[in-house]
Amino acid sequence: MVFILTEKSIKREQWGSKLGFVLAAVGSAVGLGNLWGFAYRSSQGGGAAFVLLYILVVLVVCLPIFVAEFALGRNTSTSAFLAPIKAAGPRWAPLGWLFLIAPLAIASYYAVIMGWTADIFIQSLFVGLPLNPEESSSLFDSIHSGKRDLIGQIFSLGLGAYIISGGIKKGIEKLNKICIPILFIILISLAIWAAFLTNSGVGYRNFLLNFDINQLANPTTIRNAFSQAFFSLSLGIGIMITYASYLNKKSDLPKQAIQIASLDTIVGLMAGLITFPIIFSFGLGETISKSTIATLFITIPSGLGQYGSIGRLVAILFFGLAYIAAITSLISLLEIPVATLIDKFKIKRNLASILTVGFTFIIGIPSALSTNILGNIDAIANVLLILGGFLVSFLVGWVIPKTLDIELKNSGSSSLTKAYLKFMLKYVTPIIVAWGLIISVYDLLKGWLS
Ligand code: PHE
């Protein structure tokens, strides 16, 4: 009895408005994954074939999982660590752990990449851009070595802790309401600018029109499409569960899932419409196809460096945009451990934020010191997201279908929408994700062993 009273007396925060929730979820989804991941994955796996697979995965797999995560979060009103247990009992505790480990792993290296982004932004603002790929690569070497790296990482995590300790409405929601409109304005302006570059057509062709049908069966392309979809939409990791736990009972979950997924996909495509023309205008296509995350930090600055002061302005906008996109994603990653600490140990948000950020910093040091380690953690984390997506769809589709019913009813969904989502989460989505998971693990191991 006493326990119940205490539970009730701690009132859970809520989003200030529906729009606030949608913007926060878009903020989480739109991040470095859209600006970098989309471009390098598409150039690795044959352009249009990758884009097509990506869109199919979003429609068939990710949209239903979105609704499943939202339903689970809103129904249980608790963070992703506890939600599976609360919904389906202690046997589901491992899924909670997955939802704690995966965001910490991603946040650990994400903050490092944000540090590089901030560094190049400052470099473009105050110093200028490198004039050729050699200069650019030595600039990147100095950026990601030693102290400079750690400073960027600490700065980004500190900023994250500051925002997140402000809470849901005054921290996360407020930041997104300011950042998302700015982000769209910069993005549209840059895409228009890129369209007028001399070789923009070659860039577009490589990105969207170069269709090689064999790529559809290439395990790397398939893995890339699944990884990109889950990473870019922040799915399979518990973020959408946690964000939905702050929702009131009335909002329409399927509609919001569609809004968020479409905005995120549009940003990914538009980012490609910016990066590809820049890269191909200077014949830098070779460098990016072999790319790791780091290469774009070399390719884009050296491409823009050849445009004089306009190029410098574009670099300032582009890296500023990337940083804004990234901070709204970083806080969503940090929110899971923070919410878990608050929900489980009833500690204050400030303390939870400091503990989370401190821990994230420590586990991120290896990634700050080695891009190789960073790349491997990224690859593993991406597979974990697909695993998380499989487990969520199985949980909601098979184990707690009633929860889905209740939440779709609360959403005011039509009977067609209800029937469609229930069918997908039961018979289609889990099977396709399981297939994607097997191929991704196979492709990852193959890469490591060869
Ligand atoms: N979606 C973010 C991006 O595209 C990254 C992210 C992944 C954020 C998983 C939260 C969870 O960059």
Side-chain angles (χ1 to χ4, degrees):
M1 190 63 193
V2 176
F3 176 71
I4 294 171
L5 278 178
T6 341
E7 280 274 275
K8 278 196 174 160
S9 58
I10 300 173
K11 204 163 174 295
R12 199 172 174 76
E13 255 199 277
Q14 286 206 341
W15 300 105
S17 63
K18 276 184 208 158
L19 180 69
F21 164 69
V22 171
L23 290 181
V26 170
S28 170
V30 171
L32 296 171
N34 302 62
L35 301 178
W36 273 273
F38 213 84
Y40 87 81
R41 288 199 170 106
S42 119
S43 50
Q44 258 182 351
F50 161 82
V51 177
L52 179 70
L53 277 180
Y54 169 83
I55 291 175
L56 281 177
V57 173
V58 171
L59 291 176
V60 178
V61 170
C62 292
L63 274 176
I65 293 182
F66 240 115
V67 179
E69 290 204 17
F70 282 168
L72 188 58
R74 183 165 72 176
N75 193 269
T76 55
S77 296
T78 185
S79 62
F81 180 69
L82 300 172
I85 309 177
K86 196 164 170 185
R91 278 175 61 197
W92 282 85
L95 182 58
W97 281 102
L98 179 67
F99 288 156
L100 196 59
I101 293 167
L104 282 167
I106 295 182
S108 75
Y109 69 81
Y110 209 79
V112 174
I113 306 180
M114 284 177 72
W116 303 342
T117 311
D119 209 326
I120 298 203
F121 172 77
I122 292 170
Q123 184 80 20
S124 345
L125 193 61
F126 295 110
V127 185
L129 291 173
L131 295 174
N132 52 49
E134 291 73 39
E135 264 185 41
S136 197
S137 98
S138 64
L139 170 68
F140 183 69
D141 282 342
S142 63
I143 284 178
H144 81 88
S145 65
K147 259 194 244 138
R148 238 169 121 167
D149 220 1
L150 295 175
I151 295 172
Q153 183 195 8
I154 292 174
F155 171 77
S156 302
L157 285 171
L159 188 61
Y162 171 74
I163 295 161
I164 235 177
S165 54
I168 299 305
K169 230 185 283 178
K170 295 209 186 94
I172 301 181
E173 184 168 343
K174 194 166 156 199
L175 176 85
N176 281 293
K177 276 191 170 154
I178 301 170
C179 285
I180 303 298
I182 300 180
L183 191 142
F184 274 91
I185 294 172
I186 302 182
L187 195 70
I188 293 168
S189 321
L190 290 183
I192 294 174
W193 172 81
F196 290 101
L197 291 177
T198 13
N199 271 332
S200 57
V202 185
Y204 295 152
R205 232 166 290 141
N206 271 284
F207 178 42
L208 288 175
L209 304 173
N210 142 30
F211 188 80
D212 171 5
I213 198 154
N214 295 323
Q215 283 293 339
L216 293 176
N218 177 347
T220 306
T221 307
I222 295 172
R223 172 176 155 217
N224 276 336
F226 273 89
S227 297
Q228 181 62 25
F230 277 90
F231 189 87
S232 180
L233 291 170
S234 308
L235 276 186
I237 190 171
I239 285 178
M240 296 305 162
I241 298 177
T242 306
Y243 273 13
S245 74
Y246 304 115
L247 263 182
N248 70 29
K249 291 287 167 213
K250 274 182 240 116
S251 54
D252 182 345
L253 302 180
K255 187 172 135 201
Q256 287 169 333
I258 292 176
Q259 289 169 340
I260 297 159
S262 332
L263 284 172
D264 183 71
T265 304
I266 290 172
V267 175
L269 289 170
M270 281 185 65
L273 297 183
I274 297 170
T275 46
F276 277 74
I278 297 177
I279 292 160
F280 283 93
S281 282
F282 296 99
L284 297 169
E286 301 278 287
T287 57
I288 172 181
S289 57
K290 292 186 221 91
S291 150
T292 59
I293 305 165
T295 312
L296 270 162
F297 284 92
I298 299 169
T299 314
I300 299 271
S302 73
L304 291 175
Q306 303 176 47
Y307 272 109
S309 39
I310 296 268
R312 192 165 159 188
L313 177 67
V314 170
I316 296 168
L317 288 173
F318 185 78
F319 288 97
L321 163 79
Y323 200 84
I324 293 176
I327 186 72
T328 53
S329 300
L330 180 71
I331 55 170
S332 72
L333 289 160
L334 298 174
E335 177 59 20
I336 300 192
V338 168
T340 305
L341 288 172
I342 299 175
D343 289 343
K344 190 151 174 74
F345 301 108
K346 314 268 176 275
I347 62 172
K348 287 248 165 66
R349 188 167 261 280
N350 285 354
L351 179 62
S353 311
I354 294 169
L355 289 176
T356 300
V357 161
F359 184 69
T360 310
F361 170 67
I362 294 169
I363 58 169
I365 293 176
S367 296
L369 299 178
S370 147
T371 46
N372 211 353
I373 295 182
L374 189 155
N376 281 321
I377 299 184
D378 177 50
I380 297 170
N382 273 297
V383 172
L384 290 182
L385 300 187
I386 306 174
L387 173 65
F390 167 70
L391 292 172
V392 169
S393 57
F394 182 77
L395 173 66
V396 174
W398 287 90
V399 184
I400 50 163
K402 288 239 164 62
T403 305
L404 182 65
D405 280 339
I406 296 170
E407 289 306 326
L408 289 177
K409 198 164 164 228
N410 285 337
S411 300
S413 303
S414 68
S415 38
L416 188 69
T417 310
K418 276 190 220 156
Y420 172 75
L421 284 167
K422 284 174 69 174
F423 178 78
M424 292 300 280
L425 281 168
K426 209 159 188 160
Y427 302 110
V428 182
T429 308
I431 295 167
I432 297 185
V433 197
W435 172 76
L437 182 63
I438 293 168
I439 293 190
S440 301
V441 172
Y442 160 80
D443 190 61
L444 179 69
L445 294 178
K446 200 179 77 186
W448 277 347
L449 298 176
S450 65

